[in-house]
Amino acid sequence: MANIYDNAYALEKAIRESDEFQGLQQAYDAVMNDEQAKQMFDNFRNTQVELQQKQMQGEEISEEEVEQARKVVETVQQHEQISKLMEEEQRLNQVINDVSRIITKPLEELYGTDQEGQQ
C-alpha cells in the first residue's frame, strides 16, 4: 500500500495541474498585473481579514463596518478581472470541497454521519 503522504503530495500536484487551479492562477496574475485591480483587491482582502479577526476575538462588528464591507464587495464585484478571480476561486473551492468529502468518507462511515442519499 502506498504511503498516505505520498498520495497527499500526488493530490497536491494534481490540484496544481488542474484546469481549476490554472484558471485561478491566470486570473490572480491578471489582477496583480493591473495596479487599479490590485489595489482594489488588496483593500477587499484587508477588509475581510479585519472583520474575521474581530469575529475570532469575539468583538462586535458595527453596522458601519458591515456597510463599509458591503460597499467594498460591491465595488470589487463590478471589476471584471476581480470578478473573474472570484469565480475561478469558487470553481477551485468546489473541487477542494468535493475532494474533502471523498477523503473524509471513511470517518463518515465509521461514525455514521453520512446522511441518507448523499454520496
Side-chain angles (χ1 to χ4, degrees):
M1 176 149 197
N3 179 326
I4 196 164
Y5 294 102
D6 291 341
N7 289 334
Y9 285 115
L11 180 57
E12 177 206 9
K13 183 178 183 209
I15 289 171
R16 286 182 189 276
E17 293 173 352
S18 71
D19 291 342
E20 292 83 1
F21 184 82
Q22 295 298 316
L24 177 60
Q25 183 70 59
Q26 290 171 0
Y28 180 81
D29 290 345
V31 169
M32 292 300 115
N33 290 323
D34 178 322
E35 191 56 41
Q36 180 189 12
K38 181 183 183 313
Q39 193 171 34
M40 289 172 68
F41 183 71
D42 288 345
N43 184 36
F44 168 70
R45 294 290 296 173
N46 290 338
T47 300
Q48 275 188 320
V49 168
E50 287 173 17
L51 292 179
Q52 286 173 347
Q53 285 176 341
K54 279 191 157 198
Q55 280 183 317
M56 290 173 59
Q57 294 171 355
E59 296 179 27
E60 291 246 352
I61 297 172
S62 70
E63 285 295 322
E64 184 179 308
E65 289 170 317
V66 170
E67 182 62 23
Q68 177 65 27
R70 189 185 61 73
K71 287 179 182 177
V72 169
V73 169
E74 284 180 7
T75 302
V76 297
Q77 286 176 334
Q78 291 175 7
H79 193 284
E80 186 177 338
Q81 288 174 318
I82 298 173
S83 182
K84 174 74 171 162
L85 174 60
M86 295 169 111
E87 288 173 20
E88 294 296 329
E89 186 175 333
Q90 287 178 343
R91 283 183 60 217
L92 181 60
N93 279 336
Q94 182 61 52
V95 169
I96 290 170
N97 287 336
D98 291 347
V99 168
S100 179
R101 274 195 299 276
I102 293 166
I103 63 176
T104 58
K105 189 168 181 134
L107 291 173
E108 290 174 2
E109 290 172 355
L110 179 66
Y111 291 111
T113 58
D114 193 22
Q115 295 174 356
E116 297 257 334
Q118 280 192 341
Q119 295 272 330

